[in-house]
Every structure is written in structure tokens, then in C-alpha cells.
Amino acid sequence: MSAGVPTRGRVSSLLPDFPWDTIAAVKQKAAAHPGGLVDLSVGTPVDPVDPLIQAALGSVAAVPGYPTTHGTPELRAAAVAALARRFGITGVDPAAVLPVIGTKELIAGLPRLLGIGADDLVVIPEIAYPTYEVGALLAGAKPWRADGLTQIGPQNPALIFVNSPSNPTGKVLPVEHLRKVVAFARERGAVVASDECYLGLVWEGEAVSILDPRVCDGDHTGLLAIHSLSKTSNLAGYRAGFVAGDPELVAELLEVRKHSGMMLPFPIQAAMTAALADDAHEAAQRERYRARRDTLRKALEQAGFRIDFSEAGLYLWATRGEACRVTLDWLADRGILAAPGDFYGPRSPEHVRIALTATDERIAEAAARLS
Ligand SMILES: Cc1ncc(COP(=O)(O)O)c(C=O)c1O
């Protein structure tokens, strides 16, 4: 510990070890492959930002003033229109849309922003994107892994995170399941935060929003839908997302975030507005990922992997029926890096997560090495 940092109140001590540090050695091994590393561990986009979005960003680069925390009316209107056009979500009040500096930031801060604290329960998926747990721990609350409502028993959670389509599993929750979550949350006085980062990347069947009229009967009370532009519009580097839903909850988040200076830069607001107004670049990106998924899936299955769930999202949830770190090593021998299932909680010891986010050339190379 460095001098001068008080031991009391070290916030990082509340948090798990940063998981990516644990695959440094296997990454080094994979990178030593003569054909170079095929990194399928992180879901970071590799295709360029569409020129129409770049132009929108640049068009306001000279504007000197502070942006508003609530976002421009144009941005909020574009979000409302995109939710309706792309996902059939109706009845969203433009005032109940709030831009965020990437959705990871919102998820990590949400329990705290909602005043959730000690003794409160935050329900997270059994196999989950790690930031839900982090958000609960940062607020001093208790994370509780549960996919089914019976696993919550008689407890009254303050917040329930759902994530459909899921990272890492690609599992999609049907309308009926989400309806039960909404009814349960309303009965117990919980907020539902639905992370819909991958709603625009569905390969089989249908995925629906928590704000879909078939799920909530048009009543957004207690519901928040979290949308990221990182994956569908390749804007991970811009940090662009928004939350929409219950007008009262969004107004409360806005109030706290205004005081905290949590505002999205104006050029990013302009870029987001353009991205939300255009479906063509999003559709093109989806088709790139679909082709990569088809190639990888076939190669993995031919190499003896079983793919579970994975009907949507940017990952293949794969297993060889052995400890995930053994599979990770097997892949590294072929110069391929994946993410081990144990990154996503204790209930996925035998899976690895294989991202579709590599160039066509790297995906073809991975497929060749698997055969
Ligand atoms: C399920 C899920 N939610 C949220 C995020 C965060 O995305 P961003 O902060 O780029 O909006 C990710 C990123 O990988 C994710 O997988």
C-alpha cells in the first residue's frame, strides 16, 4: 500500500479482483502463435464508425458551451423514434430519456444513484456481466444471483437487473418470463433495470424490451431500459448510451446526475442523434456479425465444442465439457483467446465466451486453426 492512502475506506477493497488480469499469461501464449493472435476475448468493435456518424460528430466540433445533462431535444426524440421503429416500444416520453456516458457507467452507478444501500438486495442474473455485481457492491448493497423468482424467496429486493439477450450466454428471456419479473417487482416494490445492450443483435427467434407493451401493458412504472450504441453502431469508443422508461425514475436520475456533472459531450450527443436516426448502418453491422457467427459456430462445433444458448448477442457460449481454463489453454495453443466462464460468476465453470468482434480475416483464421 502506498503511503498516504488511508486503509479505511479503500473502495476497491469492496470489489472482486479485476478478472482480465488472470488471463494475461494465456494471452501471451496465444500471441506467440506464428499466425498472430486472434483475440475473441473482449467484445470490442473492430469495424469503423459509419461516415454519417463521424460527420455528425465533426459538424459540432466548434461548439464551445457546456452540454445539458438531459441531452438535446433532438437526441431524445431520436431515441424515442428508434425505440419505436426498431423494437416496437411505444409510449416513451421524450422527457423520460437520459443519455449516459456509456452504459457501463450507468450500471455501475445505478444502485447508488437510486439511493440503494446497506441491507438492500440487488438481484443480478446467475451468469452475469460483472458490472451488475460491482454496482451493488459500490452502493454497499447485497448482490443476489437469481434467474428464477423462486430463488429470491420472501425477500424484497430494491433493484432487479435483467439482461436479455444476455452477455455472456446469448440467452433470450421470453415475454412470459419478463412479464413475471415486472409483476413480481411491482408486488415487492423493486425497480427493474433491463440491460438491452444486445436487443438489436438477435439471430434466432425474438427478443423483447422490458418496455414492450406485451411485457408491461404500456405501464413503464418502476421500469428502466438501458440501451448502448457501443455494439450496434460501433460507438464503444465514443461512450454513448441512454436509459429510458419510468418518467419519475428518469427525472430522479437526471436530478442527481446534473449535480454530479455526468453529462455527455455535445459532439457525442450529435453523433448519437445521427446514429439513432439511421437504421441502414446498424443493419449492415448486424449482417457482418451474422456472417462471423456462422463461420465461428460451424468451426467450433466441428472441433467438438457444444454451443449453448447464443441465440442473440455478440458471443458464442461454448463448452468442451471440461474446466473453462483448460479450454482456454486449448484455444491459446491455436493462438485464439477467449474469456473463461468464471469471469461471469461461480455458476459457469465449464464454458468459455467467444466474441464475434474480430475482423473477417481474423475470424476466417480462427476457423482455419480450429479445423
Ligand atoms: C451486457 C452489457 N451491458 C453493458 C455493457 C456496457 O456497454 P457500454 O458501456 O459500452 O455502453 C456491455 C459491454 O460489453 C455489456 O456486455
Side-chain angles (χ1 to χ4, degrees):
M1 172 153 321
S2 59
V5 180
T7 46
R8 177 181 59 81
R10 269 211 159 209
V11 177
S12 61
S13 68
L14 298 171
L15 303 177
D17 290 338
F18 197 65
W20 296 93
D21 296 344
T22 68
I23 61 166
V26 86
K27 182 173 185 176
Q28 206 172 12
K29 176 161 125 170
H33 190 282
L37 175 68
V38 180
D39 190 348
L40 307 179
S41 63
V42 192
T44 195
V46 294
D47 304 297
V49 172
D50 193 274
L52 127 111
I53 303 173
Q54 296 184 41
L57 178 90
S59 72
V60 294
V63 176
Y66 283 106
T68 60
T69 307
H70 203 175
T72 62
E74 293 77 17
L75 166 56
R76 286 182 281 119
V80 169
L83 290 175
R85 226 175 38 243
R86 295 177 184 171
F87 308 120
I89 299 170
T90 50
V92 177
D93 180 348
V97 173
L98 179 61
V100 297
I101 313 156
T103 58
K104 186 180 177 99
E105 166 265 298
L106 177 75
I107 293 164
L110 188 64
R112 184 81 193 92
L113 289 170
L114 292 174
I116 289 166
D119 299 331
D120 284 326
L121 199 71
V122 174
V123 175
I124 66 174
E126 284 197 55
I127 301 172
Y129 174 61
T131 313
Y132 310 127
E133 181 183 28
V134 166
L137 294 173
L138 284 174
K142 189 161 109 180
W144 189 269
R145 289 182 190 269
D147 283 346
L149 299 173
T150 51
Q151 293 163 286
I152 302 170
Q155 306 175 95
N156 291 321
L159 175 64
I160 300 173
F161 276 112
V162 289
N163 174 217
S164 169
S166 152
N167 171 15
T169 68
K171 184 177 174 182
V172 171
L173 299 176
V175 170
E176 257 330 292
H177 182 108
L178 291 172
R179 279 189 75 83
K180 281 186 196 154
V181 172
V182 170
F184 175 93
R186 289 193 173 147
E187 212 178 274
R188 307 266 178 115
V191 170
V192 180
S194 175
D195 180 357
E196 303 179 353
C197 185
Y198 300 100
L199 202 60
L201 295 162
V202 180
W203 318 117
E204 298 161 28
E206 188 195 17
V208 296
S209 169
I210 201 79
L211 303 180
D212 189 299
R214 288 169 291 171
V215 172
C216 67
D217 298 323
D219 178 2
H220 297 172
T221 311
L223 310 180
L224 294 172
I226 300 168
H227 281 248
S228 173
L229 279 77
S230 291
K231 319 289 180 167
T232 45
S233 292
N234 292 332
L235 291 186
Y238 283 39
R239 310 311 297 134
F242 65 91
V243 58
D246 183 337
E248 224 175 284
L249 282 176
V250 173
E252 174 65 11
L253 293 175
L254 170 61
E255 195 57 27
V256 181
R257 291 170 67 88
K258 272 197 312 203
H259 283 292
S260 319
M262 300 179 84
M263 55 192 134
L264 196 64
F266 187 60
I268 305 298
Q269 295 194 24
M272 252 179 100
T273 308
L276 288 165
D278 177 75
D279 294 340
H281 77 280
E282 214 214 3
Q285 188 57 41
R286 185 162 44 245
E287 293 318 304
R288 276 179 212 119
Y289 284 133
R290 189 193 301 280
R292 290 169 189 164
R293 176 179 182 272
D294 290 348
T295 303
L296 266 184
R297 181 176 192 133
K298 201 184 303 166
L300 286 163
E301 284 176 343
Q302 280 171 358
F305 282 77
R306 188 184 81 227
I307 310 291
D308 290 327
F309 307 117
S310 309
E311 57 257 43
L314 275 191
Y315 312 98
L316 291 168
W317 188 235
T319 180
R320 289 175 13 119
E322 63 193 7
C324 61
R325 298 279 170 158
V326 175
T327 308
L328 212 63
D329 225 46
W330 186 93
L331 287 166
D333 284 335
R334 288 152 183 81
I336 300 168
L337 188 66
D342 57 28
F343 275 14
Y344 309 96
R347 301 188 192 164
S348 43
E350 292 191 350
H351 282 79
V352 294
R353 190 195 76 168
I354 297 177
L356 310 178
T357 49
T359 61
D360 292 342
E361 184 276 327
R362 286 287 89 183
I363 295 283
E365 177 71 17
R369 290 182 197 173
L370 286 165
S371 68

